[in-house]
Amino acid sequence: MTIRNIGPAAIPSLGLGTFRMDAGEAREITKAALAEGYRHIDTAQAYENEAEVGEGIRAADTPRDRIFLTTKILPRDFAAADFRKATEASLRALGTDHIDLLLLHWPSRDIPLSETLPVLDALIDEGKVRFGGVSNFTTAMLAEAQGIMRAPIATNQVEMHPFIDQTRLRSFMQDAGIPLTAYAPLAQGRVMQDDTMAAIAEAHDTTAAAIAVAWLLSKPGMIALPKTAKASRLAGNLRAAEIVLTADEIARIDALAGPDGRIVAPETLAPDWDD
């Protein structure tokens, strides 16, 4: 399989998302994913399954130094002292001495980046975190973050799938050299219900989910985090990295994006999006 390493943090381009997984699911699917060949596992404090993800990692045969582990901290803990405490809490929950990638999960409306990002830099200097990044940031927020943080911004993790138009954000990030990590790459199941995706999947003798992941991976600087709680689907998602879409197929999928494509926009957290 062809899993590329993306950006300054060399993030594996295909990982396992664990959003909305309960304790038992997160533990077992993490272990199964690592056995299948995944090397990138994504969780967050908000998912309330860090401990179970950590258990899955320790139960696997994969050495910790071959696993790229991402977690995220919510804005309620962006004050300097709170951010450090929250990071220590994640380290304890995950049962690890370092986090490969630590993200600011959503932008804060109250605490400036100038307070939070220097702490992230310090945590990187101390070896508790290898790389830092952000999630759900707009172009303006990314520009501000780049002006504050000493370490490179390893990624901006955002909603990305065939039905959302992220052209402006993607263009800015590509010019800035910031990889985009796509969450909700299957649009929470919508890709499996779309006729265009189904037709392209049939042409490749695969699933619409695999086509969505292959489409994402065809884009430069793109990382995909498909989620599944079923071990039987892990191999198929991994094989998506081997699917080569034609220029026409990519264009047909690109054309699915529309103004109503965004799914994730919690009222208390979402910024004024670029689109």
Side-chain angles (χ1 to χ4, degrees):
M1 70 195 73
T2 305
I3 305 298
R4 295 171 292 133
N5 291 333
I6 305 295
I11 305 172
S13 59
L14 200 155
L16 175 72
T18 62
F19 178 54
R20 288 182 180 165
M21 286 189 189
D22 65 26
E25 285 180 330
R27 179 173 56 252
E28 294 307 314
I29 203 67
T30 296
K31 180 182 176 182
L34 292 170
E36 192 67 50
Y38 285 76
R39 294 296 177 262
H40 178 186
I41 307 295
D42 179 272
T43 184
Q45 289 189 350
Y47 302 171
E48 298 182 344
N49 61 18
E50 285 180 317
E52 290 73 30
V53 167
E55 289 172 8
I57 288 173
R58 290 189 295 279
D61 293 328
T62 308
R64 174 66 182 88
D65 62 5
R66 294 182 59 194
I67 300 169
F68 194 93
L69 177 60
T70 299
T71 194
K72 315 174 198 74
I73 294 174
L74 286 169
R76 67 190 180 203
D77 289 315
F78 281 6
D82 293 338
F83 192 79
R84 178 173 286 276
K85 289 177 184 176
T87 303
E88 297 285 359
S90 280
L91 287 165
R92 288 192 299 272
L94 290 162
T96 186
D97 64 355
H98 72 280
I99 295 163
D100 294 285
L101 177 60
L102 183 64
L103 303 181
L104 279 61
H105 201 160
W106 289 87
S108 173
R109 297 175 180 178
D110 304 308
I111 301 169
L113 290 173
S114 58
E115 177 165 351
T116 313
L117 292 180
V119 182
L120 183 52
D121 273 325
L123 291 163
I124 293 170
D125 291 342
E126 294 163 18
K128 295 177 179 179
V129 173
R130 291 183 60 226
F131 295 96
V134 297
S135 183
N136 299 299
F137 270 40
T138 64
T139 55
M141 293 168 178
L142 284 172
E144 181 184 0
Q146 280 191 306
I148 297 169
M149 196 167 171
R150 287 187 288 105
I153 297 174
T155 194
N156 182 23
Q157 187 178 126
V158 298
E159 180 180 348
M160 182 70 195
H161 48 71
F163 310 110
I164 186 171
D165 184 1
Q166 293 281 31
T167 304
R168 181 181 174 191
L169 179 64
R170 284 187 55 236
S171 177
F172 175 89
M173 290 177 62
Q174 193 168 348
D175 290 345
I178 302 172
L180 188 153
T181 299
Y183 72 72
L186 309 183
Q188 297 184 357
R190 184 177 168 189
V191 298
M192 281 77 93
Q193 302 163 1
D194 183 83
D195 291 343
T196 297
M197 299 298 292
I200 295 172
E202 184 176 3
H204 288 266
D205 191 25
T206 189
T207 65
I211 293 299
V213 174
W215 171 77
L216 286 168
L217 297 182
S218 74
K219 310 291 185 185
M222 188 77 70
I223 300 153
L225 295 173
K227 172 207 164 183
T228 181
K230 296 183 178 180
S232 61
R233 294 179 179 169
L234 290 169
N237 286 345
L238 269 186
R239 284 196 296 270
E242 299 296 326
I243 297 171
V244 179
L245 299 173
T246 67
D248 176 69
E249 288 169 338
I250 291 171
R252 287 163 63 196
I253 299 172
D254 287 346
L256 296 175
D260 60 344
R262 187 176 296 279
I263 298 170
V264 183
E267 184 176 346
T268 59
L269 294 169
D272 292 328
W273 303 107
D274 289 303
D275 57 327

